[in-house]
Amino acid sequence: SAVISQKPSRDICQRGTSLTIQCQVDSQVTMMFWYRQQPGQSLTLIATANQGSEATYESGFVIDKFPISRPNLTFSTLTVSNMSPEDSSIYLCSVELNYPPYNEQFFGPGTRLTVL
Amino acid sequence: SQKIEQNSEALNIQEGKTATLTCNYTNYSPAYLQWYRQDPGRGPVFLLLIRENEKEKRKERLKVTFDTTLKQSLFHITASQPADSATYLCALDMMDSSYKLIFGSGTRLLVRP
């Protein structure tokens, strides 16, 4: 399994500002994913952040709004840029292990973002 | 487009009974399907994975079935306990060999003591 931590756990931000969310994993993993979960909704994949390549974004999400860094196999950041109240959500990172069991994803606790 | 449906209404059952949750999908032929549990304020936790060539899989009090003809998975919790109260999400692979998952909206389970 993997233990994942996220910072901050929550934040309240003003519109127009940016917030960088950190995701730390206790083991080396290639595949890392960033999700958004709006209140009462399911998880929506924002992007895949594999180490050694540029992040790939899902439809509706763009790099200028959600830049991602993946400097090594245990760490990633997601920035929510030029925030608006519509960005208020829980942001989660997850990983898939480099060794069995494959296909399972392990999630961080999430970052609860409120934009005023 | 691909669509996953889970019952949005909460399932409210008595302790000791079997809870059965449903996941339906359309326009889709996933290689595998997963079930996750999510508690308030926490990230999802993996429970079970079932592949397209498997009809049923069990883990302790949990059982998952996968009917690729009906395009449906059923998730059962036998001898339910109040501690089983949570939201349960089904997730399917995106069929593009990318390891990405698409999640359903989840069903909230409430087990009354």
Side-chain angles (χ1 to χ4, degrees):
Chain A
S1 65
V3 177
I4 302 166
S5 60
Q6 287 185 234
K7 290 182 181 179
S9 58
R10 59 177 62 224
D11 207 341
I12 301 173
C13 302
Q14 297 296 321
R15 70 169 65 213
T17 62
S18 297
L19 176 71
T20 295
I21 301 168
Q22 299 178 8
C23 179
Q24 180 76 52
V25 190
D26 69 342
S27 58
Q28 294 185 335
V29 295
T30 301
M31 286 180 286
M32 186 176 283
F33 307 92
W34 285 98
Y35 291 86
R36 181 173 72 184
Q37 187 172 31
Q38 295 180 310
Q41 303 296 314
S42 189
L43 288 78
T44 301
L45 183 64
I46 297 171
T48 302
N50 292 344
Q51 203 277 334
S53 61
E54 295 291 320
T56 55
Y57 290 82
E58 297 303 305
S59 176
F61 298 96
V62 295
I63 187 171
D64 290 345
K65 176 67 175 177
F66 298 101
I68 289 171
S69 78
R70 185 77 202 274
N72 57 53
L73 289 171
T74 63
F75 187 78
S76 178
T77 66
L78 169 76
T79 299
V80 186
S81 304
N82 189 25
M83 289 184 285
S84 67
E86 291 72 35
D87 295 320
S88 297
S89 189
I90 298 171
Y91 292 85
L92 299 113
C93 66
S94 75
V95 303
E96 185 165 327
L97 300 180
N98 289 6
Y99 49 88
Y102 299 113
N103 303 131
E104 301 174 26
Q105 289 190 16
F106 296 88
F107 284 83
T111 295
R112 182 179 293 272
L113 170 62
T114 302
V115 184
L116 303 178
Chain B
S1 62
Q2 301 155 343
K3 190 175 181 181
I4 303 171
E5 292 184 344
Q6 293 185 257
N7 194 340
S8 59
E9 294 184 12
L11 178 63
N12 197 325
I13 65 169
Q14 185 73 42
E15 181 177 9
K17 301 293 186 182
T18 295
T20 299
L21 308 177
T22 304
C23 177
N24 295 297
Y25 58 93
T26 57
N27 299 325
Y28 212 36
S29 295
Y32 56 83
L33 184 149
Q34 303 182 29
W35 284 89
Y36 288 78
R37 168 182 173 145
Q38 187 173 26
D39 291 283
R42 295 178 178 269
V45 174
F46 171 83
L47 296 174
L48 281 169
L49 179 152
I50 186 166
R51 301 191 182 278
E52 60 177 339
N53 61 347
E54 298 175 314
K55 296 295 185 185
E56 180 180 300
K57 185 166 273 190
R58 294 174 183 261
K59 179 182 177 181
E60 298 173 351
R61 295 186 294 113
L62 309 181
K63 184 179 84 171
V64 172
T65 62
F66 194 8
D67 189 325
T68 56
T69 301
L70 292 178
K71 295 188 181 294
Q72 180 181 79
S73 175
L74 299 179
F75 176 79
H76 307 272
I77 305 175
T78 59
S80 60
Q81 305 166 1
D84 295 325
S85 298
T87 296
Y88 292 85
L89 306 167
C90 71
L92 291 85
D93 69 286
M94 282 197 183
M95 291 174 57
D96 59 359
S97 302
S98 66
Y99 302 101
K100 295 184 292 188
L101 297 176
I102 298 177
F103 281 84
S105 56
T107 299
R108 187 177 175 201
L109 173 65
L110 300 172
V111 182
R112 303 187 310 273

